[in-house]
Amino acid sequence: HTSHASYSDKIMVSFILGTALLLLPHGSHAFAPSSTRRIGGSNSIISSSSSPSKIKPSSTRHNMFTGIIEEMGEVISLETRDDMTLWDGSKGTGTEMVLKGDIVLDGAYLGCSISVNGVCLTATEIDEDAKTFKVGLAPETLRKTNLGTYVPESGQRVNMERASEIGGRNSGHFVQGHVDNVGTIMDQWIDENSLFFKIAFPYEFMRYVVPKGFIAIDGTSLTVCDVHSEGEDGENWFTFMLVEYTQKKIILPSKKVGDTVNVEVDVLGKYSERAWEAFVPKMEALETKVKQLEARLLDLEGGESTASSTDNNVVYGEPIGLSNVAAAATAPAPEQVKNDTEKWVRAEQTFINADDMRRDRKNTDGTEW
C-alpha cells in the first residue's frame, strides 16, 4: 500500500489477499505419530506389498513443506523399469529413485511425502536398516525438475525435508513441493559472509517473482533480492543470497555456473492472481453500469455529460453479470432518454409528501387515487 492509495483500492487488495489465504490448504501432510508401530530388525524392508498391518493408513491431507531443509541426502540409484504393475494389473514403464537419508526417515511410513530437492515425492519402500527409501518419478516430474539428471553414487547430494506437522511452526513459507520449472545459475559471488546467486528463469513465471518475496530453490525457502524481466525475448533473472549458516546446510554452494536448480514460486501469488481474475470482471461491469447511470441522469437533468448513455448496449434494470459485460458498451438507451424535447429537471418537479399518501386521497379531478 502507498499513502496515495484510495480506500477502495485498499479494500480491493485486502479482499484479494484474504481470498488467496482462504484458498490455501489449512491442513498439512503430517508424519505418523511416534506411537506408530515401526518395522525393525535385520534386513527389515517395508514395501507397498507388505502386510496392511505394517503400513500406516493415511487419511485425506494436504502435502505441505516449509522450505527449512532437514538434511542433505544421497542418490543411491536411478532406474527406469518396464515391468511396473499398474492399477489394472497391466505392466507399464516408470522411473524409480532410491535415496539415503536419516532424519527424514524418523516417523516415515509408506505413502508419506518427503521433499527431495523441493519435489514432493511419495515413499513406496523403506529400508530402515540401510536408511534408504524408494520413490517413483512420474514423467511430469522428470520434465519439470532436475532429478532425472542425477548420477547415482556420484557424490551428488539432495536437499531433504519431511512434510510439516499439523499445528507445527513454519520458519520458512508455504512450499508445496510442486516445482514450476528449472532455473539456471548465471552467476554467483561472495558479499562478505553472504553467497549470492543469479538465476535465469522462464519469462512466464517471472510475474510471480517479486523483490523480498518468497521463493523455493531446490526446496529451500529463500528471499528474492533483485528481479529483472525483459519479456519473452529478453533476459529474465532474479537473485537471492545465502547467509553463513544456510550455506553449510544445503546443496546450493556446491553448484556452479551452468547448473540447474528446481524453482517453485510462492503459491500465494498464484492464488491471488486467480482470485483477481474472477474479481476484476465484476468490478469492470459495475464501473460500466455506474457510468451509464451517471450519463443517463445528466441527460434527464438537461446537463452535459462526458459519457453518453446512448453508446451502451445495456437494458437498464437488468442484473450485472459476466455474460453481458462485453455487451455493456454498445446498446442504445431507452427511447424516452433520447427525446431531447422531454427534459427532466429536478428543480421543476413536485414531490409527494408521505403524509399525503392516505387511502382516501383523491385526484385533482375528484376521481379515486
Side-chain angles (χ1 to χ4, degrees):
H1 302 292
T2 67
S3 58
H4 301 290
S6 66
Y7 178 75
S8 59
D9 289 337
K10 294 179 180 179
I11 291 296
M12 187 181 299
V13 171
S14 298
F15 169 80
I16 297 301
L17 291 177
T19 303
L21 286 170
L22 287 174
L23 290 172
L24 280 173
H26 291 285
S28 61
H29 197 146
F31 272 74
S34 58
S35 60
T36 300
R37 187 163 68 90
R38 297 183 51 115
I39 308 302
S42 177
N43 300 320
S44 61
I45 299 178
I46 308 175
S47 69
S48 56
S49 59
S50 300
S51 168
S53 63
K54 297 180 181 180
I55 302 175
K56 171 66 181 177
S58 61
S59 58
T60 301
R61 51 174 74 88
H62 298 286
N63 303 330
M64 191 66 72
F65 303 92
T66 67
I68 304 301
I69 303 304
E70 295 186 285
E71 68 176 317
M72 291 182 281
E74 181 183 352
V75 177
I76 302 300
S77 68
L78 181 64
E79 178 185 12
T80 298
R81 297 170 43 191
D82 58 7
D83 61 345
M84 302 186 73
T85 304
L86 305 184
W87 85 98
D88 60 357
S90 62
K91 299 297 181 179
T93 300
T95 302
E96 292 183 323
M97 176 180 279
V98 176
L99 303 111
K100 187 173 185 178
D102 186 10
I103 297 175
V104 294
L105 291 182
D106 182 16
Y109 55 92
L110 290 182
C112 73
S113 293
I114 299 176
S115 172
V116 178
N117 266 15
V119 184
C120 178
L121 299 174
T122 301
T124 58
E125 286 187 15
I126 300 174
D127 186 334
E128 296 187 344
D129 290 339
K131 296 293 184 182
T132 62
F133 63 97
K134 180 182 288 185
V135 297
L137 303 181
E140 176 71 2
T141 301
L142 295 171
R143 284 191 294 265
K144 294 291 186 179
T145 74
N146 60 16
L147 289 183
T149 66
Y150 273 73
V151 179
E153 299 181 351
S154 64
Q156 290 178 297
R157 312 282 281 176
V158 290
N159 293 329
M160 291 184 177
E161 181 195 355
R162 292 170 291 180
S164 59
E165 297 182 356
I166 296 176
R169 293 182 180 179
N170 187 339
S171 297
H173 71 282
F174 290 113
V175 178
Q176 293 183 301
H178 303 164
V179 172
D180 292 291
N181 215 315
V182 295
T184 303
I185 300 175
M186 299 175 63
D187 194 8
Q188 60 186 109
W189 65 94
I190 296 175
D191 180 12
E192 296 186 0
N193 69 338
S194 298
L195 179 59
F196 266 84
F197 284 85
K198 181 179 179 180
I199 306 295
F201 199 47
Y203 170 70
E204 62 180 298
F205 300 104
M206 288 300 294
R207 66 181 183 273
Y208 304 117
V209 184
V210 296
K212 302 301 178 267
F214 290 122
I215 200 159
I217 305 295
D218 280 340
T220 308
S221 175
L222 297 168
T223 302
V224 177
C225 292
D226 298 307
V227 178
H228 179 82
S229 183
E230 296 181 352
E232 294 183 5
D233 300 324
E235 278 195 353
N236 298 282
W237 51 262
F238 61 89
T239 66
F240 60 85
M241 64 86 182
L242 306 177
V243 298
E244 178 187 3
Y245 178 85
T246 306
Q247 295 168 24
K248 295 174 283 190
K249 301 296 181 180
I250 63 175
I251 65 171
L252 264 173
S254 65
K255 294 192 173 185
K256 59 185 183 299
V257 173
D259 287 346
T260 60
V261 293
N262 293 330
V263 181
E264 179 187 330
V265 300
D266 187 6
V267 68
L268 183 58
K270 294 181 180 179
Y271 281 125
S272 297
E273 182 181 59
R274 181 57 56 88
W276 180 257
E277 289 173 351
F279 183 68
V280 166
K282 293 284 189 180
M283 286 296 299
E284 292 177 344
L286 182 60
E287 290 175 356
T288 299
K289 195 72 171 179
V290 170
K291 289 179 181 179
Q292 294 165 359
L293 293 174
E294 288 177 343
R296 186 181 181 190
L297 182 59
L298 286 173
D299 284 343
L300 289 170
E301 293 184 335
E304 294 184 0
S305 173
T306 56
S308 174
S309 62
T310 62
D311 294 336
N312 303 306
N313 220 2
V314 172
V315 177
Y316 293 96
E318 285 193 355
I320 297 174
L322 294 180
S323 60
N324 63 6
V325 172
T330 55
E335 289 300 324
Q336 62 269 28
V337 176
K338 296 192 295 182
N339 189 346
D340 292 337
T341 62
E342 298 179 9
K343 295 294 184 181
W344 186 88
V345 181
R346 187 189 305 272
E348 298 178 0
Q349 306 308 309
T350 300
F351 296 93
I352 298 173
N353 190 317
D355 295 335
D356 293 334
M357 299 298 290
R358 303 184 301 272
R359 290 179 179 274
D360 58 347
R361 181 183 172 94
K362 301 292 185 180
N363 291 323
T364 53
D365 60 358
T367 60
E368 292 294 329
W369 172 253

